[in-house]
Amino acid sequence: MIGIRSFWTALPTEGRWLLSTVAIQTLGRGLTLPFTLIYLHEVRGFDLGLSGTLMALIAFVGLVVTGPAGVLTDRYGARSVLLVGITCMVAGNALLAFATTPAVAALALVLVGLNFGVSWPAFNSLISAVVTGDLRQRYFGVNFALVNLGIGVGGVVGGLFVDVHRPETFTTIFLADAASALIPMALLLGPLRHVHGRAERPADDTAATTVRYLDILRLPAVRWLTALTFVATFIGYGQLEAGVPGFARQVAETSTRAIGLGFAVNTAVIVALQFFVLSRISGRRRTRVMIVMAVIWVAAWGMLGATGLMPGGALAVAGVLAFMGVFALGETFLQPSVPAMTNDLASDHTRGRYNALTAGAFQGGAIAGPVAAGFLLDHDLAVVYVATMIAGCVAIAAMALALERHVSGAVNGVPDPAPAPETAPTPVI
């Protein structure tokens, strides 16, 4: 508790406002996230293929608008861009609650995707405008734990509440999701109205107005960090949504209840261990933290792969649960490190674009991951599937070592060594 208290005390007032309502905001997202496909297919009667395509609109639109969102964040400020994104989120969920045709559902999901695309670079930029130094890394970690807590609790509540034979229950959860988005809007219009998250270019920086994404990507550190983020998402979050449940069902032959319990374990581990992990990685090289994460994920994927050797029994269930827990431990190492390094690499007036590159890499991995998993599992290539994931972990470790050569100690989470003091020459007698 001492660590939590000291962290909270060290936060500026604006940081406390941003963090204090995260779990409540994401509770609404948890209500709908696991049940949107079910809603489209079983409640509104769209066929499964169409429902899946409609769901893909969220990630596709988010990826398309991420680049422009980064530019707009730098030009107009994170607060303004966030307000636009939240407005889209409210409208999209409210519209989806009453969507009875594919066209209306598509429009609603496009609006939701717009919010996801603009919110990441804008929100991370706003945090970094308020919180600096080592406190920033800790903030990102605690924020990640609270997001998982809100989504996890929301998923449990939603599962107990919704009923496919009562469409009004789904209408209620989508309206609740829309209402929960009003909380950050109230913060931005009220106590945080003075935090615009925009920095003017330095007076001596004549090239700042022409900084393009290509210019940023020419920096080796940015290229390595972007590639690492893509691979980490591809073998991580891109698999949680499709590959892991598919493997658990088809190869390990576990029940849907076991899979649901696995996601509960994942959330519980993140919430329980994130602050402890933050205390352990503070002041350590972030690239080395990423390597530790890669090692942990190798162990996790090995556990999941082993379930294929003993399908259908209690050991398979235990293996799936162990995978979700160990994988979650790796997440607690990754999530504070990447956004903190991204924002420490960026200058104040280009932070939106740096965060947009990271967000784009994440969304790209989240799109490619399920596609690759579906192909491999559909062709009964379970061994190749697990081997691919382990190879990705090895690639992360290699890229982290390469990244380390191109960043300063401060960007890597440790102080740069102080220059040796000059000594006066020994007088010649």
Side-chain angles (χ1 to χ4, degrees), residues 113-201:
L114 283 169
N115 170 68
F116 287 143
V118 305
S119 290
W120 185 330
F123 185 68
N124 281 4
S125 296
L126 191 68
I127 291 172
S128 297
V130 172
V131 184
T132 59
D134 182 61
L135 197 62
R136 181 184 289 166
Q137 175 171 284
R138 297 170 69 190
Y139 187 103
F140 281 121
V142 174
N143 183 79
F144 175 65
L146 291 175
V147 166
N148 276 271
L149 177 62
I151 291 177
V153 172
V156 172
V157 173
L160 295 173
F161 178 73
V162 295
D163 183 348
V164 294
H165 301 296
R166 297 168 55 213
E168 67 273 12
T169 60
F170 286 86
T171 298
T172 300
I173 63 171
F174 283 108
L175 291 178
D177 193 2
S180 69
L182 297 176
I183 297 173
M185 180 179 287
L187 288 178
L188 294 172
L189 294 174
L192 297 178
R193 60 185 179 276
H194 63 287
V195 183
H196 53 72
R198 182 182 66 252
E200 301 297 335
R201 69 180 179 89

Side-chain angles (χ1 to χ4, degrees), residues 396-422:
I396 289 173
M399 287 187 286
L401 287 175
L403 174 61
E404 187 172 301
R405 296 195 295 268
H406 297 285
V407 294
S408 65
V411 170
N412 208 8
V414 295
D416 283 313
E422 295 184 7

Side-chain angles (χ1 to χ4, degrees), residues 230-242:
F230 173 84
V231 174
T233 307
F234 178 88
I235 67 170
Y237 302 101
Q239 303 309 318
L240 282 184
E241 295 182 4

